[in-house]
Amino acid sequence: MLGALIDFISNKTKYKSSFEDYHRLISKDAKGEFNIDRQKFEENLNRDPRILDHYTPNPFASLIVNSIGKMPKNVLDPCCGLANILYCLSNTTGANLTGIEINKGISSIAKYLVPDSNIINADFFQFYSETKYDLIVGTLPSGPRINLNGKKRKIEEAFLMRAIELLEDDGEAFFIASYDFLSNSNDDTKEGIIPHLKSVTTLPKLENSNTNLRKYLIHLTKSEIDNISFGSVQHLHDLKPTLNENLLVTIPKSQLEDRLLPEYYISRQSDKYEFLKEFETKSLTDFAKIIRGASIKNEEKKSKGKFLILKPSEINDNKITVTENSSFLNIIEDPNNLKAVAQPGDILISTFFNQAKIYVVKEDDPSVLVSNNLVILRSAESEYLQVYLNTEEGKRIFNLQAGDLSTGSVIPNLSISSLKRIQIPVLPLDNLNRLGDKSIELADQNELEELRAKIQFYKGELDKKNKKLAEN
């Protein structure tokens, strides 16, 4: 930081990567060896890119402070960073404010900026207090798993469980959490945290943020609650002053799945799923078996061979294309991978759902081993599903659900368990034909010929199955 404060310290000072420089500077000020210009200090602090990871943005800190149920007496921020939430609280309440920060340099800055708070340079899990808190706030850290009560847990889970232990009986907690934590709720989360979870709200992205990943505000109480609410704010100008004003959907916790993302539950409750309510629906697994693609090591792949190792990028314009980057196998040695050899009539779905590929394997396609970036929908009785997914509306409804069920902070990924939740409308034949009318109307001569060929193929396959049944 001395380099960042070059305006008022010394041209000889070198910029350093740790925060020890802040600690030394503030120590000199406290001893009277140097007098910090507060205004210049804060201006240069705001320009230091290292600070962004230790700072709760003002709109989010204000949202937390505005949403407190009752004025607290004792407040704890167990991962306080620069203590911005505590600073906001110091201006609105006379509570006893305690912040814990493991980084010595950052804790020194917090003490300097928020002198009315008790800032402790310590590890939260080594911090023991006889005090119970009626309000706990903070931004959850991310990192490796840690040992809590003899069990390895995500660091976010450990922070929340420890915070719940330190709450008064009528206490509450507000934490800013990451997408990765909320997109996968395991059994430990359900057992230790979800009973206390009151709401989860998507926070808007900030222009000066150093990441494109969204953050979420979670609200917990010491007491257990049967329902949970979800909110989502996409833009900063839409952010309401209090948390309750931003909530959109409330559901029983018995309806929670293996994720806590507000976007998913809000979408499921929206009008865009009204179409599914008009007809009987069945699970995707009622129509076809879901088979995971094969995972092939790089050293096994060849530039030529009998089986094309099919990737989503090689499915274009409703056909399989071989490129100079394509990979092959001559022999499939692992018997578990044999089921990933594509068969005519198989429906292939890309699991990296930003690509949203849906493809039905044809008789004249090359021999294909489906990669682990795809799944196979396979059934001897899958004609309905093939025709349904060949229509514009069928693809739209499928992709709508798949998009909501996808997880992943950078690349949306569609898991097997998520695919099993997709619902397929069981439509009368005239309705299924209606779904295809639009694509037929817009088709050119070549597309119509291709569509006719597909229909002939499906009918031929159905005739073969019927003959086999008759022979048996």
Side-chain angles (χ1 to χ4, degrees), residues 20 109 149 169 228 231 238 334 422 424:
E20 180 65 26
I109 302 171
N149 300 328
D169 290 342
I228 182 170
D238 295 327
D334 187 345
I422 288 181
I424 304 296

Side-chain angles (χ1 to χ4, degrees), residues 152-379:
K152 287 282 186 180
R153 298 182 184 276
K154 285 184 177 181
I155 191 169
E156 297 97 333
E157 287 176 356
F159 260 82
L160 291 175
M161 293 179 73
R162 177 73 176 130
I164 291 168
E165 290 177 2
L166 292 173
L167 280 174
E168 292 277 13
D169 290 342
D170 59 349
E172 62 182 339
F174 297 85
F175 282 98
I176 295 174
S178 69
Y179 176 97
D180 287 336
F181 173 59
L182 294 172
S183 64
N184 186 11
S185 303
N186 58 26
D187 291 339
D188 291 334
T189 307
K190 291 176 181 176
E191 179 182 346
I193 298 169
I194 288 180
H196 304 273
L197 196 54
K198 187 172 183 179
S199 70
V200 184
T201 300
T202 308
L203 296 174
K205 295 179 182 178
L206 301 178
E207 290 183 2
N208 62 343
S209 174
N210 63 341
T211 175
N212 287 323
L213 303 184
R214 287 202 175 275
K215 297 290 186 180
Y216 298 81
L217 180 58
I218 60 178
H219 182 194
L220 305 103
T221 60
K222 180 72 169 187
S223 58
E224 297 186 2
I225 307 169
D226 293 331
N227 297 325
I228 182 170
S229 298
F230 294 99
S232 182
V233 185
Q234 298 301 313
H235 304 286
L236 190 59
H237 58 75
D238 295 327
L239 187 66
K240 304 294 191 302
T242 68
L243 183 57
N244 286 342
E245 293 177 89
N246 292 284
L247 300 178
L248 301 172
V249 169
T250 299
I251 64 170
K253 288 183 179 174
S254 59
Q255 295 181 11
L256 282 175
E257 299 179 23
D258 58 352
R259 68 199 72 202
L260 291 169
L261 294 173
E263 295 91 337
Y264 173 70
Y265 295 99
I266 293 169
S267 182
R268 300 295 290 185
Q269 298 285 327
S270 68
D271 292 341
K272 69 181 182 180
Y273 284 98
E274 284 297 319
F275 179 87
L276 291 178
K277 299 176 184 177
E278 297 178 21
F279 302 95
E280 175 192 358
T281 62
K282 290 185 178 181
S283 168
L284 184 61
T285 53
D286 291 329
F287 291 95
K289 182 179 181 181
I290 302 175
I291 301 171
R292 193 187 306 273
S295 181
I296 306 299
K297 296 178 181 177
N298 284 332
E299 56 266 28
E300 298 179 56
K301 297 176 181 178
K302 310 295 182 184
S303 58
K304 294 181 180 180
K306 180 179 178 181
F307 298 95
L308 169 66
I309 304 172
L310 185 65
K311 304 185 293 291
S313 60
E314 293 163 332
I315 300 173
N316 294 291
D317 300 323
N318 199 35
K319 62 183 180 181
I320 293 174
T321 56
V322 178
T323 71
E324 60 182 15
N325 295 320
S326 295
S327 301
F328 298 82
L329 278 185
N330 274 321
I331 301 173
I332 298 175
E333 298 179 348
D334 187 345
N336 292 322
N337 289 338
L338 288 174
K339 59 187 176 182
V341 176
Q343 302 173 11
D346 281 351
I347 302 170
L348 309 183
I349 307 289
S350 60
T351 54
F352 281 169
F353 210 73
N354 60 338
Q355 298 174 358
K357 299 289 181 67
I358 301 175
Y359 180 74
V360 179
V361 179
K362 307 182 187 72
E363 286 276 10
D364 58 352
D365 280 332
S367 297
V368 161
L369 177 65
V370 175
S371 75
N372 62 342
N373 294 334
L374 293 157
V375 295
I376 302 171
L377 307 183
R378 178 177 295 163
S379 171

Side-chain angles (χ1 to χ4, degrees), residues 364-419:
D364 58 352
D365 280 332
S367 297
V368 161
L369 177 65
V370 175
S371 75
N372 62 342
N373 294 334
L374 293 157
V375 295
I376 302 171
L377 307 183
R378 178 177 295 163
S379 171
E381 305 297 332
S382 60
E383 184 192 20
Y384 176 87
L385 190 58
Q386 293 167 346
V387 176
Y388 173 76
L389 290 176
N390 190 53
T391 66
E392 292 299 320
E393 191 68 6
K395 288 178 182 177
R396 186 190 71 80
I397 295 169
F398 183 92
N399 289 338
L400 176 69
Q401 297 178 79
D404 286 338
L405 287 162
S406 297
T407 60
S409 55
V410 178
I411 301 176
N413 183 60
L414 192 59
S415 66
I416 298 291
S417 60
S418 294
L419 273 167

Side-chain angles (χ1 to χ4, degrees), residues 15 27 43 87 114 254 318 363 373 402 415 427 449 462 465:
Y15 181 86
S27 295
E43 288 174 356
Y87 175 77
V114 195
S254 59
N318 199 35
E363 286 276 10
N373 294 334
S415 66
L427 304 174
E449 288 294 335
L462 186 60
K465 293 165 190 170

